[in-house]
């Protein structure tokens, strides 16, 4: 199934997910360039990465957002967003052996429309735009070597789940996204965590 079919089968956990899922589906149906970052509202994905006991998450210190953040990136024409998410995890942190958790249609953990303020990237101005984001859940071994990706982040570290909220400087992300992801992680732990 493609991302539109997976989103149609996805059960939103809150009003934010229901509204954002409908908006993403509308953009998928109406914008043939939605997988390309030249579209002002384009597909992106994130990967919420936890340790095997589901008690810690992996964060990067994102240079543009100036905050500890989850991991993710642009589709850039690729329609296999699972592959994009796993690639972004490896590129941004060095973690190459994560395993996806089968937690929803197409392994979707959540969905969200994320605003991105205009910013400088590699010496060029990038206009404000929207990320039509889907999030996947992965498990990785905290013993696996991590490293920064100098052009995107300046730190990579494992933290207790609740620290994702405390370390974020982005109020909307902290309150609407990280709290939701932490709650979902704890709900899934009895099924997937290794004690």
């Amino acid at each position: 199934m493609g991302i539109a079919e997976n989103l149609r089968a996805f059960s939103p956990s809150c009003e934010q997910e229901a509204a954002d899922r409908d908006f993403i589906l509308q953009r998928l149906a109406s914008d043939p360039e939605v997988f390309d970052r030249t579209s002002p509202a384009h597909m992106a994905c994130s990967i919420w990465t936890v340790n095997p006991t589901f008690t810690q998450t992996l964060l990067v210190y994102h240079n543009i957002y100036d905050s500890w953040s989850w991991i993710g990136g642009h589709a850039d024409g690729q329609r296999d967003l699972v592959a994009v998410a796993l690639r972004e995890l490896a590129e941004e942190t060095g973690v190459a052996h994560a395993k996806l958790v089968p937690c929803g249609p197409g392994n979707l953990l959540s969905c969200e429309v994320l605003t991105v303020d205009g910013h400088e990237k590699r010496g060029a101005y990038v206009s404000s735009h929207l990320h039509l984001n889907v999030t996947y859940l992965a498990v990785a071994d905290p013993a696996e070597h991590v490293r920064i990706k100098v052009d995107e982040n300046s730190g990579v570290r494992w933290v207790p789940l609740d620290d994702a909220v405390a370390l974020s400087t982005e109020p909307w992300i902290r309150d609407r996204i990280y709290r939701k992801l932490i709650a979902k992680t704890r709900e899934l732990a009895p099924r997937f965590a290794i004690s």
Side-chain angles (χ1 to χ4, degrees):
M1 284 198 301
I3 191 63
E5 292 82 7
N6 290 332
L7 281 166
R8 280 193 284 275
F10 177 76
S11 295
S13 66
C14 59
E15 189 176 9
Q16 170 268 310
E17 282 187 341
D20 288 357
R21 179 198 58 184
D22 292 347
F23 183 81
I24 295 169
L25 283 168
Q26 184 272 326
R27 296 299 301 168
L28 284 165
S30 65
D31 182 359
E33 305 300 320
V34 73
F35 284 89
D36 191 313
R37 73 171 81 190
T38 58
S39 177
H42 50 260
M43 291 304 299
C45 59
S46 297
I47 189 158
W48 183 249
T49 307
V50 298
N51 65 341
T53 59
F54 281 50
T55 58
Q56 293 183 312
T57 189
L58 184 62
L59 300 178
V60 296
Y61 194 87
H62 200 290
N63 295 338
I64 291 171
Y65 303 128
D66 196 22
S67 180
W68 285 98
S69 176
W70 56 356
I71 296 131
H74 296 91
D76 283 336
Q78 172 68 262
R79 291 177 180 265
D80 182 352
L81 296 177
V82 168
V84 173
L86 291 168
R87 183 194 72 221
E88 291 291 331
L89 177 62
E91 287 178 0
E92 291 184 28
T93 70
V95 171
H97 303 291
K99 303 288 185 226
L100 219 57
V101 176
C103 57
N107 299 314
L108 292 180
L109 177 64
S110 71
C111 65
E112 40 279 317
V113 176
L114 306 171
T115 59
V116 181
D117 290 338
H119 58 275
E120 299 279 339
K121 186 165 186 179
R122 297 183 184 104
Y125 185 76
V126 178
S127 291
S128 298
H129 56 276
L130 296 176
H131 283 177
L132 309 176
N133 196 72
V134 293
T135 301
Y136 300 97
L137 177 63
V139 173
D141 183 352
E144 188 172 349
H145 175 73
V146 295
R147 55 145 179 80
I148 65 170
K149 185 172 190 262
V150 177
D151 64 330
E152 290 192 24
N153 65 59
S154 53
V156 178
R157 72 187 219 201
W158 287 94
V159 301
L161 287 178
D162 290 323
D163 284 7
V165 173
L167 291 168
S168 175
T169 61
E170 302 174 277
W172 188 87
I173 294 284
R174 181 178 61 228
D175 297 334
R176 291 285 185 157
I177 305 304
Y178 294 165
R179 289 185 196 284
K180 172 185 73 172
L181 294 177
I182 290 166
K184 287 184 177 210
T185 301
R186 289 187 170 131
E187 287 172 18
L188 292 167
R191 286 176 41 209
F192 297 108
I194 298 169
S195 318

